[in-house]
Amino acid sequence: MERLPSSPRPRWRPAQVAAPVLLAIVAALGLAACGDTVGYSSGSGDKIHGKELFKQGCGSCHTLYDAGTTGQIGPNLDYAFVQSRIDGLGQSVIQQVVRDQMAYAVTKPSTGSPGMPRDIFTGQDAEDVATYVASVAGLDASGQPIDPANPPKPAGPGGAKDGKTVFATAGCTGCHTLAAAGSHGNVGPNLDDAKPSKDLVIDRVTNGKGGMPSFKGQLSEAQIQAVAEYVSSSAGK
Ligand code: HEC
Ligand code: HEC
């Protein structure tokens, strides 16, 4: 090929760009070959709305640094996507993976451990969540891939003392319906119907049962007392 005498320095070297782009194409083809993508995740989602939804509907089961969630039922999503970041997979690929997971999650794994409910969010809400997760998963506060050996610690419920805040941030909302908290989870019993006593809430939150994890290491005794007081006094109201 002939060189133009005064050609400016190229702004990027083809070799730097080619590998990630290729990987992205391969991954996208792989997904398409499964034949079950829920429409193309266009990247048009609203990240701020997606973050709110993630905290309500996903954080009970997933740790994600940016959202401050510490759920441990499902995989840590920073770990799940950090390798994709390091490999340079594009955001749109990660977004499509998240979007597909919401629609086609394994609801009852053969291991007997709790699975992930399908269609927690659909339509534009699902698009917003996928856009949000793809924009932050695997990245630290400065947008660099996290160091899996020394990951940043999500805030979680932190030192929250009031039961309402604990309920909203510890992950209860992802699994339980409670009108007072505006939550619609349906993995566990509807708490408005169950109207549990304070003692029952303390027992479940402390010890877990079946699909309900124990929060012993995650919440202080005072936080468990507070959330139990809140649930037992607001359920069914
Ligand atoms: C009740 C717990 C629960 C909730 C709520 C939940 N998940 Fe999951 N999630 C899981 C489990 C368990 C897995 C692993 C099994 C599987 O792949 O289905 C998983 C897997 C995933 C994966 C795949 C991670 C990987 O390693 O490949 C993504 C992405 C994901 N979830 C995103 C979400 C999003 C987004 C939401 C909210 C809309 C959500 N999850 C809500 C339990 C949950
Ligand atoms: C991953 C899903 C999940 C999360 C997160 C979760 N729960 Fe549960 N919860 C369940 C399931 C499933 C049951 C039913 C357990 C059983 O009886 O087998 C349950 C049972 C309960 C019960 C007993 C209801 C009854 O009448 O039997 C209470 C109370 C309760 N949960 C409160 C909470 C609170 C408060 C939180 C947050 C600190 C929370 N749960 C977080 C899934 C969850």
Side-chain angles (χ1 to χ4, degrees), residues 16-17 41 61 83 126 128 134 142 147 165 168 170 172 179 188 203 205 234:
Q16 272 179 343
V17 171
S41 204
C61 293
Q83 193 58 46
D128 292 351
S142 57
D147 172 4
T165 306
C172 322
D203 181 57
V205 175
S234 65

Side-chain angles (χ1 to χ4, degrees), residues 54 57-62 73-77 80-81 97-98 101-102 105-107 109 114-117 120-121 129 133 174-175 187:
F54 185 91
C58 318
S60 54
C61 293
H62 291 288
I73 314 256
N76 175 317
L77 294 183
F81 292 109
V97 170
V98 177
Q101 173 71 21
M102 280 187 259
V106 178
T107 52
M116 171 160 153
I120 295 174
F121 299 118
V129 171
V133 174
C175 292
V187 176

Side-chain angles (χ1 to χ4, degrees), residues 10-216:
R11 269 184 293 150
W12 46 267
R13 283 186 293 126
Q16 272 179 343
V17 171
V21 167
L22 246 177
L23 273 171
I25 292 168
V26 169
L29 284 176
L31 284 171
C34 302
D36 56 3
T37 44
V38 203
Y40 178 65
S41 204
S42 63
S44 62
D46 172 347
K47 283 183 218 166
I48 296 171
H49 185 227
K51 182 170 181 171
E52 279 316 305
L53 295 177
F54 185 91
K55 288 201 255 183
Q56 287 166 24
C58 318
S60 54
C61 293
H62 291 288
T63 293
L64 183 65
Y65 170 66
D66 184 84
T69 62
T70 53
Q72 304 198 340
I73 314 256
N76 175 317
L77 294 183
D78 289 317
Y79 292 167
F81 292 109
V82 68
Q83 193 58 46
S84 311
R85 296 287 183 199
I86 293 167
D87 290 347
L89 283 197
Q91 185 149 320
S92 60
V93 175
I94 297 177
Q95 191 173 326
Q96 189 70 55
V97 170
V98 177
R99 183 65 191 88
D100 282 350
Q101 173 71 21
M102 280 187 259
Y104 304 114
V106 178
T107 52
K108 291 199 166 58
S110 54
T111 54
S113 51
M116 171 160 153
R118 290 189 183 170
D119 292 329
I120 295 174
F121 299 118
T122 56
Q124 188 60 44
D125 285 348
E127 190 72 24
D128 292 351
V129 171
T131 303
Y132 165 66
V133 174
S135 72
V136 300
L139 302 178
D140 65 17
S142 57
Q144 294 304 307
I146 60 160
D147 172 4
N150 185 20
K153 218 173 149 22
K161 284 191 188 73
D162 70 297
K164 185 168 186 170
T165 306
V166 173
F167 192 89
T169 54
C172 322
T173 53
C175 292
H176 290 286
T177 292
L178 182 66
S183 72
H184 306 284
N186 57 13
V187 176
N190 177 320
L191 296 176
D192 291 315
D193 295 341
K195 296 196 188 66
S197 67
K198 185 174 174 188
D199 285 348
L200 178 59
V201 187
I202 292 175
D203 181 57
R204 285 295 177 279
V205 175
T206 307
N207 303 311
K209 184 181 176 196
M212 164 117 180
S214 157
F215 286 81
K216 213 185 234 159

